[in-house]
Amino acid sequence: MLAGMVFLLLPLVALAASLPALTGRVVDTAGVIDAASEAALVQKLEAFEKKSSDQIVVTTIPSLEGEAIEPYANKLFRAWGLGQAGEDNGILLIVAPNDRRMRIEVGYGLEGTLTDLHSKLIIENTMVPAFRAGDYAGGITRAVDDIILVLEGNAAELEARARRNQDTGVTGDDIAVVLFITVWALLFFGGFAFAILPRIFGRKLGPGRYEWLGRTFRYNNGSRSSGRGWSSGSSSGWSDGSSGGGFSGGGGSSGGGGSSGSW
């Protein structure tokens, strides 16, 4: 019976992505950061840690293998023990390119400084535009700059930039969403109107036949047709995508603070 239970659990185990080893401040297992950018990132993160004791680690993995990024990031954060024990001042920036998902996981001790809102602003205003343009290294580097900006007490600058971005007007994605909703609404409510209103406001021509707005509508067993061949239909769907050398975490932990995003 035990063997049978193990067999049944194998598919669940397969859904969990394996945890990479902590080999440095940048662990680019997905291979999306060029060597020069990685070297500059490592140097920046090392200098910031020496100055502040806050530990920031960047990692990329090809895919989450079906696992949600939130539990995976928290599990990886704890496995690596980012930040100092007792201070819990670690931050994990993780990107899964194949799943088009990213997350900033924040240690307990920094949740009051790098809030969930700040993490969300960094993801949406810095990482998403760069990733959509295919610039992973640039997006990650600028996100690290933003994280350091907030940790150094300059969160107001990040918030002001986000407001400026919002004031520039709607994006192409916003326009596409509005158009989709508008067309869907016209088709849906238009079909509803032509199924009901001719019988209310139209002139009855005979059994099941009405004239309204210059068109003739015929209704049989609850259905309707137009003498001019008018018809409509609609469908919609919503669906919700380094260096080595003995580097290690300091025993810190995270309780799931931070923010996630996709592009």
Side-chain angles (χ1 to χ4, degrees):
M1 180 176 179
L2 180 60
M5 292 178 62
V6 171
F7 178 78
L8 290 174
L9 289 174
L10 283 178
L12 298 179
V13 175
L15 287 176
S18 59
L19 300 180
L22 180 60
T23 56
R25 290 178 173 83
V26 178
V27 185
D28 182 28
T29 58
V32 295
I33 306 175
D34 60 273
S37 297
E38 181 173 338
L41 263 176
V42 170
Q43 184 177 12
K44 181 181 301 184
L45 295 174
E46 182 179 3
F48 180 70
E49 184 174 345
K50 287 181 179 178
K51 179 175 67 173
S52 67
S53 79
D54 297 338
Q55 187 176 63
I56 305 172
V57 170
V58 172
T59 185
T60 70
I61 60 171
S63 174
L64 294 160
E65 303 296 340
E67 187 172 0
I69 196 168
E70 291 82 7
Y72 180 87
N74 186 254
K75 180 170 57 178
L76 184 61
F77 190 111
R78 290 171 173 266
W80 284 356
L82 301 184
Q84 297 175 341
E87 297 291 334
D88 298 318
N89 56 340
I91 292 175
L92 175 64
L93 173 58
I94 179 172
V95 179
N98 291 351
D99 300 317
R100 305 175 75 86
R101 296 285 292 167
M102 77 279 270
R103 178 168 177 80
I104 298 174
E105 183 82 8
V106 182
Y108 285 117
L110 294 178
E111 288 182 355
T113 304
L114 184 65
T115 65
D116 294 357
L117 174 60
H118 294 138
S119 297
K120 183 178 180 64
L121 291 177
I122 294 170
I123 288 173
E124 293 185 347
N125 295 317
T126 301
M127 300 179 73
V128 168
F131 287 4
R132 285 179 176 172
D135 185 11
Y136 292 104
I140 291 171
T141 298
R142 290 190 288 274
V144 167
D145 290 339
D146 287 344
I147 291 172
I148 293 175
L149 183 75
V150 175
L151 295 181
E152 289 182 333
N154 298 310
E157 183 177 338
L158 178 73
E159 295 166 7
R161 189 199 314 157
R163 287 193 293 270
R164 289 195 298 270
N165 289 340
Q166 291 175 351
D167 292 340
T168 58
V170 296
T171 65
D173 290 341
D174 295 330
I175 294 174
V177 170
V178 171
L179 286 176
F180 172 81
I181 294 175
T182 301
V183 171
W184 183 89
L186 287 173
L187 290 174
F188 178 81
F189 290 108
F192 176 79
F194 280 109
I196 300 297
L197 297 182
R199 285 185 280 190
I200 299 176
F201 299 105
R203 182 170 63 91
K204 188 172 183 178
L205 301 177
R209 294 174 64 245
Y210 295 83
E211 183 181 12
W212 185 57
L213 297 180
R215 296 182 178 183
T216 300
F217 296 85
R218 298 180 177 86
Y219 298 89
N220 296 309
N221 298 325
S223 64
R224 62 102 186 90
S225 63
S226 168
R228 296 190 180 184
W230 180 88
S231 64
S232 70
S234 66
S235 63
S236 64
W238 291 92
S239 60
D240 284 353
S242 177
S243 64
F247 176 80
S248 66
S253 187
S254 167
S259 184
S260 306
S262 61
W263 72 95

